[in-house]
């Protein structure tokens, strides 16, 4: 975010240095750069690395280097979004309840607006609370690793 705030103060060389560093960092991620490794349904590259990190960096540097956004967003719209729209129609998160809390803290949700996301996606964040009984018990779904505590 600071890149946008500092943008008018940065020289051309400083902007190019930001681009070079963001590309270097992207190459260290499990999905690689260009982001072609790992799957688009589950795993680290299927969410945070591409959907949060690379797309947001690509937006920030788009004027200087549109390639990062085009590659990350292209993979997202081609591979990530269609499968999620199919899965979310089941009103549950496809990677289990232990992952949903983290993943929905940054996944863009604009319920009621035309975004490309399936309307059923709007029910996913609250699906965990609907399975919670009392203050600590939770009905498990999918691949869960957080141990439920019982009072």
């Amino acid at each position: 975010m600071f890149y946008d705030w500092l943008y008018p103060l940065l020289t051309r060389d400083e902007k190019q240095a930001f681009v070079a560093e963001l590309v270097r960092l992207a190459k260290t991620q499990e999905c690689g750069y260009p982001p072609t490794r790992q799957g688009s349904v589950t795993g680290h590259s299927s969410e945070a690395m591409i959907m949060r990190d690379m797309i947001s960096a690509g937006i920030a540097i788009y004027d200087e280097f549109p390639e990062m956004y085009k590659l990350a967003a292209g993979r997202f719209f081609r591979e990530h979004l269609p499968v999620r729209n199919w899965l979310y129609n089941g009103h549950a998160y496809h990677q289990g309840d232990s992952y949903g809390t983290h993943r929905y803290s940054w996944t863009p949700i604009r319920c009621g607006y035309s975004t490309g996301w399936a309307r059923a996606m709007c029910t996913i964040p609250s699906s965990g609370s609907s399975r919670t009984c009392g203050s600590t018990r939770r009905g498990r779904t999918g691949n869960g690793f957080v141990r439920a505590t019982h009072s």
Side-chain angles (χ1 to χ4, degrees), residues 9 24 31 34 37 40 43 46-48 72 75 81 88 92 95 99 101 111 122 124 151:
L9 306 173
R24 185 194 71 76
C31 63
R37 294 195 304 254
S40 296
S46 76
E47 304 220 350
R75 181 169 174 187
L81 187 63
Y88 293 153
Q95 292 191 60
Y99 294 96
T101 305
C111 299
C122 300
I124 308 301
S151 51

Side-chain angles (χ1 to χ4, degrees), residues 30 38-51 75 79-80 83-84 86-88 90-104 106-107 117 121 124 127 131 138-146:
E30 294 170 47
Q38 294 194 331
S40 296
V41 180
T42 61
H44 298 150
S45 70
S46 76
E47 304 220 350
M49 291 181 185
I50 293 174
M51 292 170 55
R75 181 169 174 187
E79 299 176 22
H80 293 77
V83 73
R84 280 164 178 72
W86 183 83
L87 289 165
Y88 293 153
H91 299 275
Y93 187 67
H94 65 288
Q95 292 191 60
D97 52 25
S98 296
Y99 294 96
T101 305
H102 164 71
R103 303 272 166 71
Y104 274 94
W106 53 262
T107 298
W117 292 105
M121 182 186 182
I124 308 301
S127 67
R131 290 187 311 277
R138 179 168 47 163
R140 309 304 300 188
T141 62
N143 181 13
F145 61 84
V146 177

Side-chain angles (χ1 to χ4, degrees), residues 11-81:
T11 67
R12 182 173 184 244
D13 289 343
E14 290 169 327
K15 291 173 186 175
Q16 289 305 315
F18 269 101
V19 169
E21 182 62 10
L22 289 171
V23 170
R24 185 194 71 76
L25 289 170
K27 288 179 179 181
T28 68
Q29 296 191 64
E30 294 170 47
C31 63
Y33 186 82
T36 57
R37 294 195 304 254
Q38 294 194 331
S40 296
V41 180
T42 61
H44 298 150
S45 70
S46 76
E47 304 220 350
M49 291 181 185
I50 293 174
M51 292 170 55
R52 179 191 64 194
D53 302 340
M54 211 171 290
I55 287 179
S56 55
I59 290 169
I61 62 174
Y62 190 86
D63 289 341
E64 293 75 38
F65 191 74
E67 177 186 280
M68 183 176 286
Y69 175 79
K70 289 179 180 180
L71 290 171
R75 181 169 174 187
F76 167 76
F77 286 109
R78 189 177 56 255
E79 299 176 22
H80 293 77
L81 187 63

Side-chain angles (χ1 to χ4, degrees), residues 2-11 15:
F2 71 90
Y3 185 80
D4 290 338
W5 296 338
L6 294 176
Y7 191 83
L9 306 173
L10 297 172
T11 67
K15 291 173 186 175

